[in-house]
Amino acid sequence: MSGKSSAQLAESASVSALNCIDLSSPDIQSSVSLLKQACLDTGFFYVINHGIGIEFMDEVFLQSKRFFDLPMEEKMKLLRNEKHRGYTPVFDEHLDPVNQIHGDYKEGYYIGIELSEDDPDAQKPFYGPNLWPRADILPAWRETMEKYHQKALEVAKTVSRLIAQALDLKFDFFDQSEMLGKPIAVLRLLHYADEVSEPAKGIFGAGAHSDFGLITLLATDDVVGLQICRDKDANPQIWEYVPPLKGAFIVNLGDMLERWSNCTFRSTLHRVVCTGRERYSIAYFVEPNHDCIVECLPTCQSQKNPPMFPPIKCQDYLQMRYKDTHNDLNSYRVSK
Ligand code: OGA
Ligand code: NI
């Protein structure tokens, strides 16, 4: 499956050839089996013909760049709040403290499901009003991001239907009102500076991690950087680059799906190794409803293969994972 690294790449990692799922294909059975193979193998695949046009995607990247180009003072006015909305400066996230000397060399911007302050659900973690840059500074920014948020959720629902079938569940198992009907879905704009990562010294664009939720839809520009490790227990770990594919999403499975499926489907370790070129990516993290209980699926257990994880409530699990990986907000208050 893997070819040799190209001269463009920073170190001698090979290049992964991921399966490519065409969401416009009428042959659902073939799509399900291709997806299943990818989920059993790397937990990563491309999704193409997903219904979000390249022009609109380019527009989202352009608006993202406009935000990150703002002076630091403007960006810090929108610093992340306790609902995980807004700007995250370089080093705010620290994904792999064992192997990193400091936090990730990336800045980001979190956008969740928009709810007004007086909506009863706005009391819940991860829900409430978003932080938005002022319209006179970044006109049309909010509209672009809200539109992308909605469109990406539709893509996620379509992919979730294939995943359900690959797990021998009813096609709408994940796409039901208690799960993706009112999801915790978080759009995150990311910007990696033109630094060179140095894995041997513990310096990374993003440290090794697996994502927390059901799935992640990742859009990237054409700069390489994302690497995956198929076997996290191997010593030494072997890393492969996932090349960008114009117009496609790179989809990966999150830890909730690993728990649901009792490790039948794995959430694969990945990281970002920067090559000295600036890089932009846009992640869309798809998690079910707050109250959803993530517990071993009936199709993924037997007497010989009992559940490996206790049931967890989505919001509790997510809160724990966010707390473990992000700076304490008080640290910013002290430095003011
Ligand atoms: C993430 C992630 C990869 C990238 O944000 O969880 O893995 O290419 N991002 O930015
Ligand atoms: Ni990730």
Side-chain angles (χ1 to χ4, degrees), residues 112-334:
I113 302 272
E114 176 74 20
L115 284 186
S116 67
E117 204 75 78
D118 54 11
D119 189 306
D121 279 347
Q123 303 311 316
K124 296 183 175 178
F126 302 101
Y127 264 15
N130 280 298
L131 300 179
W132 296 111
R134 277 170 36 195
D136 58 332
I137 298 180
L138 292 179
W141 202 87
R142 173 176 177 168
E143 289 73 15
T144 304
M145 296 306 161
E146 287 191 315
K147 186 170 157 192
Y148 185 75
H149 211 295
Q150 283 159 12
K151 283 178 175 278
L153 183 58
E154 288 314 307
V155 177
K157 287 181 174 179
T158 307
V159 175
S160 83
R161 289 173 172 235
L162 298 176
I163 292 175
Q165 290 172 83
L167 287 167
D168 297 322
L169 301 165
K170 218 166 141 254
F171 70 97
D172 61 354
F173 178 82
F174 298 108
D175 190 10
Q176 50 179 306
S177 54
E178 303 80 36
M179 294 202 195
L180 295 184
K182 230 177 178 189
I184 301 176
V186 180
L187 171 59
R188 191 176 193 196
L189 310 174
L190 292 164
H191 172 226
Y192 299 85
D194 52 0
E195 306 279 340
V196 180
S197 296
E198 294 187 73
K201 290 190 182 161
I203 300 171
F204 295 95
H209 67 283
S210 48
D211 293 350
F212 315 149
L214 174 67
I215 53 170
T216 304
L217 309 182
L218 182 76
T220 74
D221 63 11
D222 61 358
V223 179
V224 290
L226 178 65
Q227 296 186 332
I228 61 171
C229 170
R230 288 166 193 255
D231 179 4
K232 52 186 160 217
D233 300 321
N235 189 11
Q237 288 177 333
I238 298 166
W239 291 91
E240 300 167 37
Y241 277 99
V242 172
L245 184 63
K246 180 80 182 162
F249 281 117
I250 298 165
V251 180
N252 63 291
L253 313 181
D255 295 330
M256 286 187 198
L257 188 53
E258 183 174 280
R259 296 176 75 105
W260 247 314
S261 72
N262 215 16
C263 292
T264 306
F265 288 176
R266 304 304 296 267
S267 57
T268 295
L269 211 55
H270 55 284
R271 66 185 190 184
V272 176
V273 174
C274 296
T275 58
R277 276 181 73 193
E278 209 178 3
R279 180 172 181 272
Y280 292 85
S281 67
I282 301 174
Y284 190 74
F285 301 111
V286 184
E287 287 112 18
N289 185 263
H290 296 77
D291 296 324
C292 175
I293 305 292
V294 178
E295 62 182 330
C296 184
L297 295 162
T299 53
C300 296
Q301 56 178 295
S302 65
Q303 221 155 25
K304 275 200 188 138
N305 182 27
M308 288 184 236
F309 307 99
I312 43 143
K313 194 166 156 180
C314 172
Q315 69 173 29
D316 299 342
Y317 182 71
L318 264 190
Q319 276 185 301
M320 181 186 79
R321 297 295 300 270
Y322 270 80
K323 188 167 173 290
D324 286 349
T325 48
H326 289 71
N327 273 353
D328 184 343
L329 285 173
N330 286 319
S331 67
Y332 294 105
R333 289 188 191 110
V334 174

